[in-house]
Amino acid sequence: MKAVVSTKYGPPDVLELTEVEQPLPLDNQVLVKVHAASVNYGNLVLLRGEPFLARFAFGLFKPKFSIPGGDIAGVVEAVGKDVKQFKPGDEVFGDLSGVGWGSFAEYSCVPEKALALKPANLSFEEAASVPMAGVTALQALRDKGKIQSDQKVLIHGASGGVGTFAVQIAKSFGAEVTGVCSTRNVEILQSLGADHVIDYKKEKFTENKQRYDLILGVNGGQPLSAYRQSLTPNGIFVHVGGSGAQMFQAITQGAWISKTSGQKFGSFLQRANQDDLVYMKELIEAGKVKPIIDRQYKLSEVREAFRYFEQGHTQGKVVITV
């Protein structure tokens, strides 16, 4: 089968499209014929081996997982003898980041716990854009941010993959949502149901004197002091993604703020979870959440996909068709 392989850390040029042996499912695995995958921040970490601490999980000197790709959408080809939830022909989607990656290929063997039935109202490309970014937004808001109905919620970095899902998920919880984005993304956020949109090229969110119960800072972008002054006295700030320096600041300085005030600051890393995949499926099928796709690339164009994603200006998700 064809697969994208990475044998060393580095820029997108290290990715090679090559022929590898098609895998066979173990007893608890599902063989998926991959129709689509997508690019996330975690893929960049696996590609470049940065921040360096990530190498203790991904391989110290070279990638432990030679075929990258976390998000997956496709059709079940075969199942191991212990698989109970799926059968050949099922359309599925899922997150492979916790089970060895491997979706940038024509076939992938996946533990059944990493999959759920694909939302019936989505294409494979749309479904592949959901798992990592959608579940990240859900867990950051619900589990780390303790979101409640009628709260005022600010999503900073609202037009990217995680941000577009976060706006919609926060609305599904009954929150009053403000999204921060650049001028070209204002209409997208309005179409997703944001109650207020701040164009950071024209206005700083700290200047409107509004206080928020929950702020989601996607990929950093502002010092903690800016977020702090825009929080209510008992508000919560959740940092998602961004550089290693931003994460370190959120963890260390955030811990001090959390101990010395009523405000809570913390950094968040998504954990793949089948129940949350099903939750996202139900939100999507209920019409409360829809994925936004910026660009689609073929598997043979994966280098170009990563180069575009690295620029940091995507509107929603970048998808790989297989």
Side-chain angles (χ1 to χ4, degrees), residues 155-321:
I155 313 293
H156 191 269
S159 59
V162 173
T164 51
F165 283 114
V167 168
Q168 298 174 83
I169 293 169
K171 287 297 297 179
S172 77
F173 277 95
E176 180 182 328
V177 180
T178 299
V180 181
C181 65
S182 63
T183 307
R184 73 187 188 109
N185 296 316
V186 169
E187 289 187 6
I188 289 178
L189 295 194
Q190 291 172 335
S191 74
L192 296 179
D195 298 287
H196 314 282
V197 180
I198 296 174
D199 178 351
Y200 67 75
K201 293 189 174 182
K202 298 179 180 179
E203 174 190 2
K204 293 182 179 179
F205 70 90
T206 54
E207 294 175 346
N208 63 10
K209 302 190 186 305
Q210 178 65 62
R211 296 293 178 266
Y212 301 95
D213 302 293
L214 170 60
I215 296 178
L216 199 65
V218 183
N219 296 331
Q222 295 291 324
L224 292 192
S225 58
Y227 294 121
R228 187 177 187 184
Q229 74 180 74
S230 294
L231 274 179
T232 60
N234 295 305
I236 298 176
F237 169 77
V238 182
H239 171 270
V240 181
S243 69
Q246 291 168 335
M247 185 178 297
F248 181 76
Q249 184 187 46
I251 293 172
T252 55
Q253 187 178 338
W256 173 254
I257 295 172
S258 299
K259 286 183 179 180
T260 57
S261 74
Q263 296 173 330
K264 300 298 181 185
F265 276 67
S267 188
F268 173 80
L269 292 174
Q270 172 258 14
R271 303 203 184 284
N273 181 289
Q274 188 182 57
D275 290 339
D276 288 343
L277 267 180
V278 174
Y279 187 95
M280 289 300 302
K281 173 181 181 289
E282 292 170 350
L283 282 181
I284 290 165
E285 291 181 338
K288 295 181 178 180
V289 171
K290 63 179 180 180
I292 301 296
I293 294 178
D294 185 342
R295 296 188 183 183
Q296 297 184 34
Y297 294 85
K298 299 176 183 178
L299 191 62
S300 59
E301 301 170 326
V302 70
R303 291 179 177 177
E304 290 83 354
F306 271 83
R307 290 188 188 108
Y308 176 67
F309 183 81
E310 279 190 309
Q311 294 173 19
H313 302 298
T314 60
Q315 297 173 308
K317 291 301 298 292
V318 173
V319 171
I320 309 295
T321 59

Side-chain angles (χ1 to χ4, degrees), residues 1-233:
M1 69 172 187
K2 292 180 180 178
V4 172
V5 174
S6 173
T7 58
K8 58 184 178 181
Y9 293 120
D13 290 345
V14 304
L15 298 170
E16 297 285 348
L17 181 63
T18 187
E19 293 282 339
V20 301
E21 186 175 351
Q22 183 177 315
L24 295 174
L26 302 177
D27 291 346
N28 70 332
Q29 287 183 328
V30 174
L31 176 65
V32 177
K33 180 175 176 56
V34 183
H35 284 243
S38 73
V39 183
N40 297 278
Y41 176 73
N43 299 121
L44 286 184
V45 175
L46 183 56
L47 173 69
R48 292 188 174 273
E50 299 171 352
F52 188 83
L53 285 176
R55 297 193 182 198
F56 290 97
F58 293 157
L60 194 57
F61 301 108
K62 65 179 182 178
K64 181 165 59 175
F65 309 109
S66 60
I67 301 176
D71 288 331
I72 189 172
V75 177
V76 175
E77 285 272 310
V79 300
K81 69 180 182 66
D82 295 334
V83 171
K84 307 296 184 185
Q85 301 179 56
F86 305 103
K87 63 184 185 302
D90 284 345
E91 296 182 349
V92 295
F93 76 137
D95 177 0
L96 312 188
S97 62
V99 293
W101 303 77
S103 67
F104 291 172
E106 291 182 312
Y107 292 90
S108 184
C109 283
V110 185
E112 62 177 335
K113 67 178 182 179
L115 298 171
L117 292 174
K118 180 179 76 67
N121 56 338
L122 294 188
S123 67
F124 287 109
E125 290 76 17
E126 290 170 326
S129 74
V130 175
M132 293 184 72
V135 171
T136 295
L138 172 65
Q139 293 178 350
L141 290 167
R142 182 195 62 195
D143 303 338
K144 192 74 172 181
K146 311 297 182 186
I147 190 171
Q148 300 291 324
S149 178
D150 297 324
Q151 284 187 329
K152 287 182 170 60
V153 176
L154 179 77
I155 313 293
H156 191 269
S159 59
V162 173
T164 51
F165 283 114
V167 168
Q168 298 174 83
I169 293 169
K171 287 297 297 179
S172 77
F173 277 95
E176 180 182 328
V177 180
T178 299
V180 181
C181 65
S182 63
T183 307
R184 73 187 188 109
N185 296 316
V186 169
E187 289 187 6
I188 289 178
L189 295 194
Q190 291 172 335
S191 74
L192 296 179
D195 298 287
H196 314 282
V197 180
I198 296 174
D199 178 351
Y200 67 75
K201 293 189 174 182
K202 298 179 180 179
E203 174 190 2
K204 293 182 179 179
F205 70 90
T206 54
E207 294 175 346
N208 63 10
K209 302 190 186 305
Q210 178 65 62
R211 296 293 178 266
Y212 301 95
D213 302 293
L214 170 60
I215 296 178
L216 199 65
V218 183
N219 296 331
Q222 295 291 324
L224 292 192
S225 58
Y227 294 121
R228 187 177 187 184
Q229 74 180 74
S230 294
L231 274 179
T232 60

